[in-house]
Amino acid sequence: MSEQKPGWRELPFGAIPYKSSLEYHTGDWGVERPEFDLEKCTRCTLCHFYCPEGAISFDAGHPEVDLRYCKGCGICANECPAGAIRMVRKG
Amino acid sequence: MSKAITLKEAVKKPDLLASGHRLCAGCAEPIIARLVLKASRGAIIATTATGCLEVATTIFPYSAWRIPWIHTAFENAAATASGIEAAWRAMRRKGRGPLAKYETLDVVAFAGDGGTYDIGLQALSGALERGHDFTYVLLDNEAYMNTGIQRSGGTPYCAWTTTSPAGTVIPGKREWKKPIDEIVIAHEIPYTATVSPAYPLDLMQKARAAFETEGPAFIHAISPCCRGWRFPPNKTIEVARLAVETCFFPLYECRVEDGRPIYKLSPPSLAIAKRPERKKPVEEYLKIQGRFRHLFRPERRGDLIERIQRWVDRRWEMLLEKAGL
Ligand code: SF4
Ligand code: SF4
């Protein structure tokens, strides 16, 4: 016989994912990462909106990638209207 | 009305869907969800039907949602959204409860095509009919992707899926895509719009319009899936753009005013309406997706491609008529 399982009264209230996914780094999923040519970049910000990971920020006034989360999909490089993004091998 | 959305302002607004979610590399769904959430006015609560977005953003113990979020089963995203809105109204009326302090509340339900065209249609229809003040976002990746690419009511004609395999007997799915927008608009809800992640500003503006709408609002987003549609992950936005440029998925808004649906084409589709020579053949959209490969190899199935083109043309002409163009 297995031990007595807790009844519903003893279960914690709700089942809430309680940690931010920010603690889960998806940056090791892909082999490539974007490299920005800031001379060519027009600061159009499209790469920020197209990135599925929200990994490209403009906090510094120019695009910066957070490699902890970038999955290397290559969308940013494919879409940059100025051709300012090149995919290169990570590491 | 809050201030108009601009890319310049929106880029500064922190993402309400955090990084670290586990949707596939190149998935369109987080792009669409991020853009919708950027258009929120203030307090916002989300609920997600079972689907890729739900399972990949809430893998225990992690959550990518930086806003209150409620799990929903496959069939009842719209019912959960109705409940959220009703609870908020009750708390406002009584002047107590955690939601009582919010003058406006954006209630948003995200569901996939399975959770909308098929399993969630009844709950959606009920919520639209009851007139709840919420926004429903359909993330249409045109099959049950999270369980292994099974066909849904949203899967287009001739698309290969694991339950509509293309072979010598059938050429992929034998039925046409269900006209979900017409079904929704027939409920005479105040606001319906189609969006593509290839046009971020248009998408955010429509999401804002949906949030500002009093009563139900429906946003239908085409959500290319590199795994299920069989294209490289860096082409997601390209595919989402071609869907619009070929008029396979035209962009428009429909407001029901005084009981009448008023259709308005959005700039990318309006440009094609004005200069029809810009309309690309649907073949360009089909041939970059592996799920339609059997239309081109081992031999070109001109008959089927032509049939799809006629479907696109007919629906586009019907839309132009509705928009008075
Ligand atoms: S898309 Fe290209 S040009 Fe635009 S901000 Fe990003 S890197 Fe710069
Ligand atoms: S490669 Fe993909 S995940 Fe990485 S920054 Fe570019 S768009 Fe984002």
Side-chain angles (χ1 to χ4, degrees):
Chain A
M1 275 290 284
S2 59
E3 65 190 280
Q4 180 82 26
K5 297 226 172 80
W8 64 271
R9 279 172 218 276
E10 286 97 66
L11 289 174
F13 186 65
I16 300 168
Y18 55 90
K19 280 189 176 180
S20 168
S21 62
L22 289 172
E23 293 179 36
Y24 191 89
H25 294 171
T26 51
D28 56 358
W29 283 23
V31 290
E32 292 189 322
R33 65 174 172 84
E35 196 174 72
F36 299 92
D37 180 341
L38 294 180
E39 300 279 302
K40 278 193 195 164
C41 167
T42 61
R43 310 324 192 232
C44 74
T45 70
L46 276 176
C47 49
H48 165 79
F49 293 101
Y50 285 146
C51 174
E53 313 310 321
I56 300 178
S57 76
F58 278 77
D59 298 346
H62 57 77
E64 272 180 321
V65 62
D66 190 333
L67 290 178
R68 288 174 303 170
Y69 305 110
C70 166
K71 291 176 187 162
C73 66
I75 290 179
C76 53
N78 201 51
E79 295 308 322
C80 170
I85 308 178
R86 199 164 63 96
M87 296 304 288
V88 297
R89 269 193 97 83
K90 274 182 185 160
Chain B
M1 280 260 286
S2 30
K3 258 181 41 218
I5 295 183
T6 59
L7 292 183
K8 215 172 152 204
E9 287 302 313
V11 74
K12 291 188 206 140
K13 180 160 174 168
D15 273 312
L16 300 178
L17 185 77
S19 309
H21 62 74
R22 282 178 258 178
L23 287 146
C24 303
C27 177
E29 292 196 355
I31 308 176
I32 298 161
R34 288 178 58 225
L35 291 168
V36 168
L37 296 176
K38 275 193 190 258
S40 64
R41 297 168 297 174
I44 176 167
I45 299 184
T47 183
T48 47
T50 307
C52 295
L53 184 71
E54 152 143 292
V55 300
T57 55
T58 58
I59 297 176
F60 191 80
Y62 301 101
S63 170
W65 297 88
R66 284 173 157 158
I67 55 173
W69 164 86
I70 300 179
H71 160 78
T72 297
F74 224 137
E75 64 273 36
N76 58 337
T80 302
S82 307
I84 299 169
E85 190 246 9
W88 168 61
R89 285 203 189 282
M91 290 184 209
R92 289 289 291 169
R93 206 167 46 236
K94 292 181 183 158
R96 61 188 158 84
L99 299 178
K101 61 176 183 271
Y102 299 114
E103 249 172 66
T104 63
L105 180 68
D106 295 338
V107 179
V108 58
F110 289 98
D113 47 299
T116 304
Y117 288 83
D118 304 345
I119 305 176
L121 189 60
Q122 178 195 334
L124 174 62
S125 177
L128 300 181
E129 182 266 327
R130 292 189 301 270
H132 290 283
D133 187 7
F134 76 115
T135 296
Y136 191 99
V137 181
L138 158 56
L139 300 166
D140 192 358
N141 59 16
E142 301 190 323
Y144 292 81
M145 297 309 184
N146 127 66
T147 50
I149 322 177
Q150 292 89 3
R151 55 87 85 195
S152 78
T155 307
Y157 182 64
C158 281
W160 162 90
T161 69
T162 52
T163 47
S164 63
T168 49
V169 182
I170 57 163
K173 192 186 172 196
R174 283 175 293 181
E175 299 79 21
W176 296 89
K177 191 176 171 74
K178 192 193 281 190
I180 192 75
D181 306 320
E182 281 97 321
I183 294 169
V184 166
I185 291 166
H187 288 75
E188 301 181 347
I189 61 163
Y191 186 75
T192 303
T194 59
V195 298
S196 157
Y199 305 92
L201 187 60
D202 181 69
L203 197 162
M204 288 189 284
Q205 285 168 342
K206 285 170 176 165
R208 173 63 63 81
F211 289 138
E212 278 171 352
T213 298
E214 294 205 13
F218 184 83
I219 295 200
H220 181 184
I222 185 95
S223 183
C225 164
C226 45
R227 295 286 306 124
W229 296 15
R230 302 292 199 228
F231 61 81
N234 64 343
K235 301 278 185 220
T236 303
I237 295 296
E238 228 177 284
V239 173
R241 190 179 295 117
L242 269 173
V244 176
E245 290 174 341
T246 57
C247 300
F248 182 90
F249 192 86
L251 298 185
Y252 63 91
E253 294 171 292
C254 177
R255 290 173 203 269
V256 172
E257 287 166 16
D258 216 7
R260 281 172 191 277
I262 314 287
Y263 286 80
K264 191 174 150 224
L265 290 190
S266 311
S269 289
L270 187 61
I272 300 171
K274 287 193 176 144
R275 305 259 311 270
E277 69 277 11
R278 288 196 192 167
K279 179 164 170 260
K280 294 187 176 170
V282 74
E283 188 165 343
E284 289 191 28
Y285 177 62
L286 304 176
K287 73 179 176 213
I288 55 167
Q289 303 175 47
R291 64 176 172 159
F292 295 112
R293 188 177 44 201
H294 52 285
L295 300 182
F296 302 94
R297 264 176 280 167
E299 67 206 27
R300 191 173 178 282
R301 291 294 305 271
D303 54 331
L304 295 174
I305 298 170
E306 183 51 33
R307 208 178 280 173
I308 298 172
Q309 184 67 60
R310 278 207 304 274
W311 177 85
V312 169
D313 292 348
R314 187 177 66 240
R315 292 188 52 79
W316 172 244
E317 279 159 25
M318 280 160 59
L319 179 62
L320 292 181
E321 272 170 33
K322 288 183 210 163
L325 293 163

